[in-house]
Amino acid sequence: MKTNISFKYINKLAIPALIAGIAEPLLSITDTAIIGNIDENATESLAAVGIVGAFISMLVWVFGQIRSAISSIISQYVGANKLGKIEGLPAQAMAIVVAGSLLVLVISYPFAKQIFQFYNASGTVLDFCVTYFKIRIFGFPFSLFVFAVFGTFRGLQNTYYPMIIAIIGAVLNVVLDLVFVYGVEGFIPAMNIEGAAYASLIAQVTMALIALILLLKKTSISLKISLPFHEEIPNLLGMIGNLFIRTIALNIALYFATAYATGYGNEYIAAYTIGLNLWLLGAFMIDGYSSAGNILSGKLLGSKDYETLFKLSIKLAKYGFFIGMIIAIFGFVFYDFIGQIFTKDPLVLEQFYHVFWIVILTQPISAITFIFDGMFKGMGEMKYLRNLLILSTGFVFIPTLLFFDWLDYKLVAIWIAFTLWILARGIPLIFKFRSKFLPLVKS
């Protein structure tokens, strides 16, 4: 039976995945917008949220690769009609990743000050970083559990339940942010940056509980952990290992960007924080179609339907580019308004508007890169993705940043580096995909 890749079916997978995908950046964006408008120490608080957000995003991305690895294996088993042989894997995978996250929590919590000094934070900004981090880090194991559940649902070709979980988490976070940050007169005192951290933590715990309930109620997947380990565990760990190294390379780029922006001054790191969160929001919006590619490419590879797989790549690239253009047009139309959502500080806005146009222009480019990135993950091509990102970071991002920083371009240097980095990641994926599957289609 041919796998359906019609526009309607792709969107049935992509739109819920898109909504689910923006939940994590929305947690950070909500914190950024609300913290940026508090009455006291807004710029310092905004800088702290950006620095901590970069570090926590690094942790989530490094360990959250479990989602792509689980999805890839399960979807390939679905394509080969062997789902019954994979049901014990998710529980073992979730146990491994949650145990790893608890270890990270125990190690990082006592060294919070040293971690953010490494990011060039100092003074009031450093104090706020430590305060914010020591609350938010407790949500890390819950986030990883949710990522693992999302990977399981995606492997089963289901993006609806992850969407429900994400919507509840995002809405709850917005409400709690407003209540805890600003306070409710006579009931809840204004907690400022601590309130934002507690809001995110409660939202993450809630999402984990709902994910657990839906997984148990709506699938045949058991969370009973049994030994011996499933035969796919070595393959899963290999994928996670390659993605782990790959994501370290990705976050080296983020570290350099964040550290340089912090070194330029508080208004620069605040402006960079706003720009980065908007860039990530655009990336996660595209992630809906990237996720559809991840889900369907694994299934098509499992069934050896190479012709449909090739057609899928063309369709998804078109859809992704179109969405990227819509985001870019929206960004230019509401250019001034978007900045003022996050802060009223004229110095921060000046730096933000100086580079926001680059953030916007990267959206269509990022879209195509992320589409093929998702497809390669679905096909289990983690080693190639690892090597490509290491080379892109080491030979494109860092040299570009250093060169334009030497020219004193400051935030412009960072965003030029990001743009060329995305191109260096995307172009080789397109060429490799076509060179591998076009001959198989023609044969």
Side-chain angles (χ1 to χ4, degrees):
M1 182 179 174
K2 275 257 186 198
T3 299
N4 186 357
I5 61 163
S6 66
F7 179 77
K8 182 178 180 180
Y9 186 69
I10 287 174
N11 279 285
K12 184 179 177 181
L13 293 174
I15 292 174
L18 183 157
I19 295 169
I22 64 174
E24 183 62 32
L26 271 180
L27 294 181
S28 296
I29 279 191
T30 302
D31 288 353
T32 302
I34 292 175
I35 286 296
N37 286 284
I38 61 177
D39 295 329
E40 188 177 352
N41 296 320
T43 300
E44 290 82 0
S45 298
L46 188 58
V49 167
I51 296 167
V52 176
F55 180 69
I56 289 181
S57 292
M58 180 271 289
L59 292 177
V60 170
W61 286 344
V62 167
F63 289 89
Q65 301 303 327
I66 187 75
R67 176 178 65 180
S68 296
I70 290 177
S71 175
S72 173
I73 293 173
I74 293 178
S75 62
Q76 289 183 45
Y77 271 72
V78 168
N81 292 315
K82 297 178 179 178
L83 182 60
K85 295 184 178 181
I86 204 74
E87 288 181 353
L89 178 67
Q92 293 175 349
M94 289 174 197
I96 291 169
V97 76
V98 171
S101 69
L102 291 172
L103 182 62
V104 170
L105 191 159
V106 170
I107 292 172
S108 64
Y109 187 89
F111 298 102
K113 184 176 181 179
Q114 290 81 357
I115 290 169
F116 298 111
Q117 283 176 330
F118 186 64
Y119 277 81
N120 286 335
S122 60
T124 302
V125 172
L126 178 60
D127 293 338
F128 285 164
C129 282
V130 173
T131 298
Y132 184 66
F133 174 76
K134 283 192 169 183
I135 299 168
R136 274 209 65 182
I137 190 60
F138 283 97
F140 181 55
F142 296 98
S143 286
L144 290 195
F145 175 77
V146 170
F147 269 55
V149 173
F150 281 12
T152 303
F153 275 121
R154 286 184 178 187
L156 296 171
Q157 316 292 292
N158 184 322
T159 56
Y160 176 75
Y161 291 125
M163 177 189 71
I164 297 299
I165 297 164
I167 289 173
I168 294 171
V171 171
L172 180 62
N173 186 69
V174 171
V175 173
L176 293 179
D177 251 337
L178 292 169
V179 171
F180 290 164
V181 172
Y182 299 138
V184 178
E185 191 173 350
F187 293 96
I188 299 173
M191 291 187 280
N192 297 328
I193 196 168
E194 289 183 67
Y198 281 119
S200 295
L201 173 60
I202 293 170
Q204 288 165 319
V205 172
T206 303
M207 289 169 69
L209 289 173
I210 297 170
L212 174 64
I213 292 167
L214 287 175
L215 188 68
L216 294 175
K217 295 287 186 182
K218 301 297 183 179
T219 75
S220 60
I221 301 294
S222 171
L223 289 185
K224 182 180 178 182
I225 301 170
S226 58
L227 295 175
F229 282 117
H230 191 279
E231 62 181 11
E232 285 287 355
I233 284 289
N235 184 28
L236 179 77
L237 293 176
M239 288 186 184
I240 295 172
N242 283 323
L243 289 171
F244 180 93
I245 296 169
R246 174 183 186 267
T247 311
I248 291 291
L250 185 154
N251 282 283
I252 286 173
L254 282 178
Y255 163 73
F256 268 86
T258 304
Y260 271 68
T262 304
Y264 298 145
N266 288 346
E267 64 269 26
Y268 288 92
I269 182 59
Y272 165 78
T273 297
I274 298 169
L276 182 66
N277 278 300
L278 290 170
W279 182 71
L280 290 173
L281 179 63
F284 278 93
M285 289 177 70
I286 297 299
D287 188 60
Y289 289 94
S290 175
S291 297
N294 180 293
I295 293 164
L296 292 170
S297 62
K299 184 179 180 183
L300 289 165
L301 188 67
S303 62
K304 299 182 180 180
D305 189 351
Y306 305 123
E307 182 180 356
T308 306
L309 180 60
F310 194 81
K311 289 179 180 176
L312 175 69
S313 71
I314 297 171
K315 284 191 173 186
L316 288 176
K318 289 179 180 177
Y319 300 159
F321 184 77
F322 177 75
I323 297 295
M325 288 298 297
I326 294 296
I327 295 171
I329 292 168
F330 182 89
F332 279 117
V333 170
F334 296 100
Y335 200 87
D336 292 336
F337 173 75
I338 290 171
Q340 291 169 12
I341 293 173
F342 296 95
T343 184
K344 299 297 186 292
D345 187 322
L347 293 177
V348 175
L349 286 173
E350 180 185 356
Q351 297 305 325
F352 172 71
Y353 291 139
H354 192 52
V355 296
F356 187 40
W357 62 274
I358 308 177
V359 178
I360 293 171
L361 287 177
T362 61
Q363 295 303 317
I365 302 169
S366 298
I368 295 177
T369 296
F370 295 147
I371 290 293
F372 279 92
D373 190 86
M375 293 189 69
F376 272 71
K377 286 179 182 176
M379 296 184 295
E381 293 274 359
M382 313 308 189
K383 185 176 179 181
Y384 183 76
L385 291 172
R386 178 200 70 189
N387 294 339
L388 180 59
L389 196 56
I390 290 172
L391 293 172
S392 300
T393 300
F395 293 98
V396 178
F397 183 87
I398 293 175
T400 302
L401 175 60
L402 295 177
F403 175 72
F404 284 100
D405 174 73
W406 176 70
L407 293 177
D408 200 31
Y409 278 34
K410 293 189 168 66
L411 291 187
V412 173
I414 292 173
W415 286 106
I416 290 175
F418 271 130
T419 304
L420 296 182
W421 183 62
I422 287 293
L423 283 168
R425 291 171 54 191
I427 293 171
L429 290 178
I430 296 170
F431 278 103
K432 181 170 176 64
F433 183 89
R434 292 182 67 87
S435 65
K436 181 174 181 177
F437 290 106
L438 192 56
L440 293 173
V441 172
K442 292 179 177 179
S443 63

